[in-house]
Every structure is written in structure tokens, then in C-alpha cells.
Amino acid sequence: MTAGDWGQPQAEGAGGGSVVRRILLGSQLRRLRESRGITREGAGYAIRASESKISRMELGRVSFKARDVEDLLTLYGVHDAAERGQLLGLAKEANIAGWWHSYSDVLPSWFPTYVGLEGAASVIRVYEVQFGHGLLQTEAYAQAVGTKGMPGGAPSEIERRVALRLERQKVLVAERAPRFHAVLDEAALRRPYGDRGVMRGQLEHLIEMSQHENVTLQVMPFSFGGHSGESGAFSLLGFPESDLSDLVYLEQLTSALYLDKPEEVALYGSTFERLSADCPGPEESRDLLRGLLQLM
């Protein structure tokens, strides 16, 4: 399996349905193509498209035209009416826009996929060093982060990005909320965004969120010294279906990487486990947060 080929995703979730259905359909089309020994170039020729379009379809990165899916199923020898109907129905569902579609004007091109996968995950593990994770930010803190990250940006665009972040946070309190485990470097807690009131509110919010049953929050203190998170921030997403690989999300300045090769995911997973083991536990981490709060 190549990086970005995410297998079978969860069909339900807090807004992740359309993204994961695209990935599901793309994965099934790839398996059908490979079982028939047909190249991507050959499949593309059959639907009057390029090899790269077939690749994007199989990775779930584009929407699906019913005619293209019908032609590919015929090419791949899928003639059973029930099986064709199931896959064509999946194509229709995959094209339904997620809730974040209304924010497309302020979303980086690579981020909608992550929002959908985040909403479908059953386990989210994150390490942050620059600032508090987006799912844990107060509105005022998110506003300060957005303003600092977009110098000269239009206030309306920053406001919409903040609104998107607050909407994403609903995943943590949804009926089927994921298990969320965050390790925050002390630098992320001491680096000021906004005034003292903003920082106090953010620390109080972290203390409150850390007491939610599905949330584990740990702080990597300066006093520990060097640690295994030297490569920087990353996110690990896990899904309930066995056919969907765990994946690593790495955000860059102008793009993002999605890694799902087992050896790569395992390396990040072991790094996160070492970070967690080396940190004070959740209660001790709350004490660290309370200590920082007193300094504000």
C-alpha cells in the first residue's frame, strides 16, 4: 500500500462521511483493477481520462462521475446488479459535500481531507510544540494564533478560520467522540498568543478539557530535557475498521503529508508512546498547567 492509500474508512462519523466514502470507493476500484491485471493507464483510456486521474480516484482525492464508475466496473468485469448498485450508491454518497465545504474559501487545498478523516477517527493522538492543538483552543486563543499566522490577513478570513476550528472541536463532545490523547510541549503553553487574559483562558480551558472522559492531556516539561519528539508536531489517526490503516498527518507550510505505510506509522506510534511514557501523567500534567496559570 502506498502513502495516501487509506483502505476502507468508517462510513459514519462527525462529518467525515463524504471523505471516507471517497476513500472506500477508490480503494475498492483499485482492488478490482489490480485483480484484473489492468494498468492505471489502461483504466484511464477506458474512461477517456489520464493515468493520473485514475490515481487520484483510487486515492479518494476527487469526486466520482457515475458514468466513470459504471465504465470502470464494466471494464473490471463487475456485472452483478447488486454489487454495481452498491458501488454506484457509494459514489453518489461520496459526492455529498461535508459540513466544511462552506469554508472552502479559507481552507488550504490539502486540509479538507484531514478534517473528514479527523471526524471519522476513533482514536486521535497528537504531539504539539508550537501552540495548543486546534481541537483544544479557545476562541480568543484561536483568534490570536490566526492573526499571528496570517500577518496582514483580512479580519473576515481569520474569523472564518476560527469558526471552522470551533466547528471541528465538536468532534470531542459528539455522541461517538474519539479517544483523544494530546502531548503538549511546555513551549506550546508558555509561548504567548494574545494578552495575559487570552493565555489564562487557554490554560483554564486545557485544564477543563483534560478532565473529559475521552481526553488524555499530558505536558512534556522543559525539565525533562531532550526527548523523542525532536522531529516536530504530528498527528496519528486510528479508525475502527480493520481494513483502514492508521495514518500519520504531517502539516507543512504549503502542503501536508499523509503516511500510512505500516513501518512509518509504527515509528511515529512508538515515538508517541515514548513521549507519553516520559511525560508526567494526566493529573501531574494538570498540576503543571495550574502552576503555569498562577504565573500568568
Side-chain angles (χ1 to χ4, degrees):
M1 189 181 300
T2 57
D5 186 0
W6 302 310
Q8 178 176 349
Q10 178 181 339
E12 302 292 339
S18 58
V19 169
V20 294
R21 284 179 172 88
R22 281 207 315 267
I23 296 169
L24 169 58
L25 179 58
S27 178
Q28 292 183 347
L29 290 174
R30 175 182 58 80
R31 290 168 182 162
L32 288 169
R33 176 182 59 77
E34 291 176 345
S35 71
R36 302 287 291 188
I38 298 172
T39 64
R40 289 193 180 98
E41 182 180 8
Y45 181 81
I47 65 168
R48 306 154 298 280
S50 64
E51 178 182 354
S52 62
K53 180 178 178 179
I54 296 296
S55 177
R56 292 194 299 273
M57 289 174 67
E58 293 181 351
L59 293 174
R61 293 178 179 171
V62 293
S63 59
F64 294 87
K65 294 181 180 179
R67 178 184 174 185
D68 288 344
V69 176
E70 288 177 345
D71 289 348
L72 288 174
L73 292 177
T74 299
L75 178 67
Y76 301 157
V78 179
H79 302 295
D80 179 77
E83 185 176 1
R84 289 177 69 94
Q86 179 185 15
L87 292 172
L88 288 169
L90 195 59
K92 182 178 180 180
E93 294 170 355
N95 290 333
I96 298 174
W99 62 261
W100 55 89
H101 180 74
S102 61
Y103 293 95
S104 59
D105 58 318
V106 296
L107 273 175
S109 61
W110 68 88
F111 200 57
T113 296
Y114 176 77
V115 176
L117 292 170
E118 181 182 70
S122 58
V123 179
I124 303 173
R125 295 178 291 170
V126 301
Y127 170 62
E128 286 286 356
V129 65
Q130 179 70 17
F131 37 65
H133 189 268
L135 294 182
L136 298 174
Q137 294 179 4
T138 65
E139 182 175 358
Y141 183 85
Q143 178 84 28
V145 170
T147 301
K148 184 70 70 173
M150 296 179 60
S156 59
E157 182 176 356
I158 295 172
E159 288 293 342
R160 284 182 53 72
R161 289 190 178 220
V162 171
L164 168 67
R165 188 156 300 180
L166 297 179
E167 190 69 28
R168 281 174 54 207
Q169 293 176 3
K170 293 179 181 179
V171 71
L172 292 185
V173 294
E175 183 178 352
R176 298 171 59 189
R179 289 190 291 112
F180 180 74
H181 188 168
V183 172
L184 304 181
D185 195 280
E186 186 174 343
L189 305 173
R190 288 183 175 272
R191 183 173 292 107
Y193 282 96
D195 58 25
R196 292 182 64 181
V198 170
M199 291 301 295
R200 285 187 61 86
Q202 178 60 33
L203 290 171
E204 290 169 347
H205 182 65
L206 289 175
I207 293 170
E208 177 186 350
M209 290 300 301
S210 73
Q211 298 177 74
H212 286 224
E213 185 177 354
N214 62 311
V215 175
T216 300
L217 177 59
Q218 293 178 270
V219 176
M220 172 55 77
F222 287 149
S223 59
F224 185 81
H227 54 72
S228 57
E230 59 186 17
S231 63
F234 60 89
S235 299
L236 280 158
L237 302 181
F239 306 88
E241 280 76 8
S242 59
D243 286 344
L244 177 58
S245 303
D246 291 354
L247 63 89
V248 177
Y249 173 76
L250 303 172
E251 190 167 307
Q252 302 174 338
L253 186 61
T254 58
S255 62
L257 293 176
Y258 295 88
L259 309 177
D260 69 357
K261 291 182 179 179
E263 62 273 20
E264 294 175 327
V265 175
L267 179 58
Y268 278 92
S270 62
T271 297
F272 187 86
E273 293 303 322
R274 288 198 303 275
L275 279 168
S276 178
D278 290 338
C279 283
E283 187 55 52
E284 293 87 349
S285 292
R286 273 192 289 274
D287 289 339
L288 281 170
L289 290 170
R290 294 184 184 106
L292 290 172
L293 186 57
Q294 292 178 356
L295 298 176
M296 291 294 170

